[in-house]
C-alpha cells in the first residue's frame, strides 16, 4: 500500500440504518439481518448488502465511457453509455451476488481473520440487466477463436478509488467472459431499476457463479491481457491461504503461490430462527434459510437438523431458477423444514449441490476468512442474536 | 427389470488378473491397486479400471454405424466409422474417467449399499481422441441456436446388452454437449491407441468432468430429446438418495424425485502407503495420492495429515493439466507429502478444489453408495491392506 491522501467519504449516500447492519462506516459496508434475507426470492435493494473499498463515485452517466483494449483488440475503443444501451441487445440474468467474505465471523471466532467481519448476510439474489460482455468483445474483434484463449484474462478497472490500491480492479479468465453459457454482463439495471450508486451506477460487471469481488462496479476499463489483474484485490486478497498462514508477514510469501478465487463453493445457512438455537424444546419448529453453489451448480438437497447433526430432515426447496433448466443455475435456493428442537442445541443445515459437494461440519480456517461454508455455529453461552 | 434370457459372457476378453483386482467376474468389473494408480500421471490401460453392465460387444468396425436423430435434427442420419474418422477434425482431451461408485466400500462399511463394492481405484486419467460431438450435431443442424436449449438432453445408447436394462443408455444436458468449452468427444482412441473392447471399441462418448456412467461405450445412437434418457442407468441408478432411504422399496418412491448425477465432487485419496496407516511411528513418511474435482475445477490444495487430522501439511501437487490453463481442467492431480506418522493412527488427505469445495471428514451415507468423498477410512483393527 502506497502512502497517499486520505480518501474523502463526505459525498457518500446516506443510508437507512434500520434496514442493514453496518459493519463499517467508511468505506460503507453493511448487510441485512438473516431473517430479512429469506423474506424474498429476489432480494429487494433495501435488504441488499453493500460492499465498498473506498468512497462511492458520483458519475455523470452522459459523460461516462468505458475503454476496451488489449490482446486481440483491433485498437483501443471507447464505448459510451448511450451506445451500450442502444446498440447492444439487453440481456437479463438472475444471480446470487455473494461476497467471498460472507460468514467470515464464523472463522474469526476460531482465530483472528483480516477483513470486514461479515455475518451471513453478505449476499443477495438479484436480476441484473445490461449488454453481454462477449457482445462488446466481439465488436473489438475478440472471440473464442483468439490464440491461447486459456491463458488470457479480462481485467476490469473501476472509477472507485480505494484504501488499498489506487482503484478497485479485478479479472476473470477470458474463457468465462466469452462462454456462451457464462452470462457475464455489463449491467446498468438491478431488479429492473437503474443501478444505484451503492451498486455501481452507471455500469458494473456481473459475473454469475463467481465471488462478488469479480463483479467490478463503476466500470471504466476492460483489458485483455496474458496475466491476471495486477490489482491488490486480485493478487493479495480473496485467496484461500493454507491454515498455517496466520499473519500478514507469513501471508507475504504465499499470495503469489495461491490461486485467486473465482467460483464460490456450496453454502447454506439457517436464517430463521435467527439465533440458530432454540431456548426451549419445540417439536415442530419451522426453520428457514438459503442455499447456493458457484459455477452454475444448483442445489439438489438441503438437510436440516434440530439436534446438532444427530438426525436430519430433508428441507422443501424453493429454487425457481433451476426449474426446467438443466443448464447453469445462477439463482439461489430458499428452503424450509420442520424439525424438533431442544433447549440450547444447535439447529444446522447442510446443502448438497448438483455436483455432490457437501458442506463440512468444521471450517478449515484461513487468514482472509473467505469461503466459510461450514455448518452454522452459534454462541451457546449466549441466547442473544448471534450471526455466526 | 424385465425377465429375459441370461446374458452370455463366454465371449468376453480374458484379463491378466495380476494387474487388476476383480470386483465382479460377469459383468467384468475390476480396478487397480491404489499404489499402481499413482505411478503414472497418464494411467496406462493395464492399470485402468473396467466397468461393465453386461457382456462386452464384439463389433466389426467397418460395419458399425451411429444413428443421430431427434429434436432439431433435419432428419435421422447414420454415420459410419470411416466418415467419423475422415470427415471430422480429430480432437484430444486429457480427462479423468471416474465411476460414481468409486470408494463405495467406505460407505458400505457404514451400512449396506447396492452396487459393485469398489475400492478407491475406479478411476483413471487418460487421453481420449476422436471427433467432437458438437461437430456431429452441427452436421445434422443442432447448434446453440436451438429453441429451449436448457430443457433438452442428448441421450446415448450402447450396443452393450445389460443385466438391468435391454442396453446401456444415459444422457447429458444438450448444453454440455454443445458447450465450446465442454470438450465432449466421440472417442475412438485412448492414450493414442485404438480403443479396446474393455473401453468401448470402436467408439464411445467421453464426457469430461462428469461421472463415468455418462461416457457411454459401444455407442450406437444419439437422440436429442426433451427428457432425460429413459434408461435404468439414468433413472434408477447414479443418484444421491437421502440418508433415510436404505432399501429398494423406499428407493422406489425417490428415484423420480432426485436428480441424476452429472459432474462429480471434490475428491482425494491416500494411495501410498497402501494401508493408509502406519505400523510404527515414522518421522518422515512419504505419502502419495490422487486428487480431482468435477466440472473442470482443478485442485488448488491438498492437505495431508499423519495424525488423523490433528495437524496438516500442504502437499506438493503434480497437475500439468492445470499449468498455464485458466479454463476448465479435466485431468487429475497427483500429490505427495512427507509427514510424521504414529502407530495405528490414520493418514488422511483433504483436497480443496478451485471453487473452494473441501472434502468432509465423515461421509453422508446413501443407498447407492455414490460420490463418497470423505477422508480415507481404514480398518484400524487390522493392519492388512485395506482399500477403504
Amino acid at each position: 500500500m502506497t502512502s497517499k491522501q486520505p480518501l474523502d467519504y463526505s459525498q457518500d449516500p446516506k443510508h437507512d440504518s434500520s434496514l442493514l447492519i453496518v459493519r463499517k462506516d467508511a468505506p460503507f459496508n453493511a448487510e441485512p439481518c438473516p431473517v430479512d434475507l429469506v423474506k424474498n426470492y429476489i432480494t429487494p435493494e433495501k435488504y441488499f448488502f453493500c460492499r465498498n473499498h473506498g468512497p462511492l463515485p458520483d458519475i455523470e452517466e452522459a459523460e461516462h465511457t468505458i475503454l476496451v483494449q488489449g490482446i486481440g483488440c483491433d485498437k483501443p475503443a471507447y464505448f459510451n453509455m448511450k451506445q451500450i444501451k442502444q446498440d447492444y441487445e439487453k440481456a437479463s440474468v438472475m444471480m446470487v451476488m455473494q461476497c467471498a467474505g460472507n460468514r467470515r465471523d464464523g472463522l474469526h471466532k476460531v482465530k483472528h481473520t483480516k477483513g470486514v467481519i461479515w455475518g451471513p448476510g453478505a449476499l443477495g439474489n438479484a436480476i441484473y440487466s445490461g449488454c453481454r460482455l462477449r457482445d462488446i468483445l466481439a465488436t473489438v474483434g475478440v472471440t473464442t477463436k483468439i490464440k491461447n484463449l486459456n491463458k488470457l484474462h479480462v481485467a476490469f478497472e473501476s472509477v472507485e478509488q480505494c484504501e488499498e490500491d489506487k482503484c478497485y480492479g479485478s479479472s476473470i479468465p477470458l474463457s468465462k467472459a466469452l462462454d456462451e453459457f457464462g452470462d457475464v454482463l455489463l449491467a446498468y439495471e438491478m431488479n429492473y431499476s437503474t443501478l444505484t450508486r451503492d451498486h455501481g451506477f452507471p455500469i458494473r460487471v456481473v459475473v454469475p457463479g463467481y465471488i462478488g469481488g469479480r463483479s467490478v462496479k463503476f466500470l471504466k476499463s476492460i483489458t485483455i491481457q496474458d496475466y491476471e489483474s495486477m490489482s491488490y484485490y486480485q493478487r493479495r486478497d480473496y485467496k484461500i491461504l493454507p491454515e498455517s498462514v496466520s499473519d500478514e508477514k507469513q501471508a507475504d510469501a504465499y499470495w503469489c503461490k495461491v490461486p485467486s478465487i473465482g467460483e464460490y463453493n456450496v453454502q447454506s445457512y439457517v436464517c430463521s430462527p435467527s439465533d440458530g438455537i432454540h431456548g426451549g424444546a419445540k417439536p415442530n419448529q419451522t426453520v428457514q434459510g438459503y442455499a447456493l453453489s458457484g459455477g452454475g451448480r444448483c442445489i439438489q438437497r438441503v438437510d436440516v437438523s434440530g439436534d446438532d447433526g444427530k438426525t436430519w430432515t430433508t428441507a422443501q426447496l424453493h429454487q425457481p431458477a433451476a426449474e426446467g433448466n438443466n443448464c447453469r443455475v445462477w439463482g439461489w435456493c430458499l428452503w424450509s423444514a420442520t424439525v424438533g428442537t431442544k433447549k440450547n442445541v444447535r439447529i444446522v443445515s447442510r446443502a448438497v449441490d448438483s455436483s455432490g459437494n457437501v458442506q463440512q461440519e468444521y471450517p478449515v480456517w484461513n487468514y482472509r476468512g473467505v469461503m466459510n461454508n461450514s455448518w452454522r455455529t452459534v454462541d451457546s453461552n449466549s441466547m442473544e442474536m448471534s450471526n455466526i
Side-chain angles (χ1 to χ4, degrees), chain A residues 10 41 67 188 200 208 359:
Chain A
S10 65
Y41 187 72
L67 168 65
Y188 43 79
Q359 293 172 260

Side-chain angles (χ1 to χ4, degrees), chain A residues 291-309:
Chain A
L292 64 151
S293 189
R297 298 178 284 284
C298 66
I299 294 299
Q300 67 166 291
R301 200 178 82 222
V302 177
D303 297 329
V304 183
S305 173
D307 56 7
D308 202 14

Side-chain angles (χ1 to χ4, degrees), chain A residues 103-361:
Chain A
R103 301 186 59 204
R104 177 173 291 128
D105 58 358
L107 295 179
H108 195 69
K109 267 202 140 177
V110 176
K111 195 159 61 173
H112 173 82
T113 55
K114 180 190 175 190
V116 175
I117 308 302
W118 293 107
L123 80 173
N125 191 42
I127 296 167
Y128 295 94
S129 307
C131 72
R132 295 182 190 91
L133 174 55
R134 64 192 172 86
D135 289 348
I136 294 282
L137 294 178
T139 305
V140 298
V142 175
T143 69
T144 55
K145 307 276 178 248
I146 197 169
K147 211 176 145 190
N148 291 324
L149 171 58
N150 64 4
K151 296 186 201 312
L152 299 177
H153 303 259
V154 192
F156 307 113
E157 275 196 330
S158 171
V159 173
E160 186 186 14
Q161 293 185 291
C162 292
E163 296 287 344
E164 296 90 352
D165 205 337
K166 65 181 196 311
C167 70
Y168 192 84
S170 194
S171 62
I172 60 172
L174 181 59
S175 58
K176 170 69 177 173
L178 295 176
D179 188 343
E180 199 167 354
F181 304 112
D183 293 334
V184 180
L185 302 185
L186 305 185
Y188 43 79
E189 290 179 7
M190 175 177 169
N191 295 346
Y192 304 119
S193 295
T194 301
L195 276 185
T196 58
R197 283 173 66 200
D198 279 323
H199 298 285
F201 178 84
I203 192 160
R204 71 177 300 172
V205 186
V206 295
V207 186
Y210 273 49
I211 56 166
R214 308 300 169 224
S215 290
V216 174
K217 299 191 291 185
F218 318 105
L219 181 68
K220 76 172 179 201
S221 75
I222 298 172
T223 308
I224 315 295
Q225 54 192 46
D226 55 6
Y227 51 89
E228 281 191 302
S229 166
M230 292 303 289
S231 167
Y232 176 93
Y233 305 100
Q234 188 78 22
R235 300 259 170 172
R236 296 175 65 85
D237 199 348
Y238 302 132
K239 297 191 174 196
I240 307 175
L241 299 171
E243 217 169 355
S244 58
V245 174
S246 58
D247 62 35
E248 206 60 28
K249 198 163 168 238
Q250 288 179 312
D252 266 350
Y254 277 88
W255 293 120
C256 64
K257 294 181 191 164
V258 171
S260 53
I261 306 172
E263 298 177 1
Y264 47 82
N265 52 12
V266 64
Q267 175 71 283
S268 77
Y269 195 79
V270 172
C271 294
S272 171
S274 61
D275 57 6
I277 194 166
H278 211 281
K282 207 171 167 187
N284 292 301
Q285 172 70 52
T286 299
V287 180
Q288 289 176 288
Y290 63 71
L292 64 151
S293 189
R297 298 178 284 284
C298 66
I299 294 299
Q300 67 166 291
R301 200 178 82 222
V302 177
D303 297 329
V304 183
S305 173
D307 56 7
D308 202 14
K310 283 192 190 65
T311 61
W312 297 90
T313 298
T314 304
Q316 284 288 112
L317 307 185
H318 178 64
Q319 190 178 203
E323 275 161 34
N325 175 11
N326 66 10
C327 192
R328 296 184 207 154
V329 174
W330 312 116
W332 70 2
C333 171
L334 295 183
W335 53 262
S336 67
T338 305
V339 298
T341 57
K342 295 174 182 172
K343 186 169 177 176
N344 284 0
V345 173
R346 277 203 304 181
I347 305 169
V348 288
S349 65
R350 71 176 178 212
V352 185
D353 74 11
S354 53
S355 300
N357 287 303
V358 189
Q359 293 172 260
Q360 77 275 18
E361 179 167 5

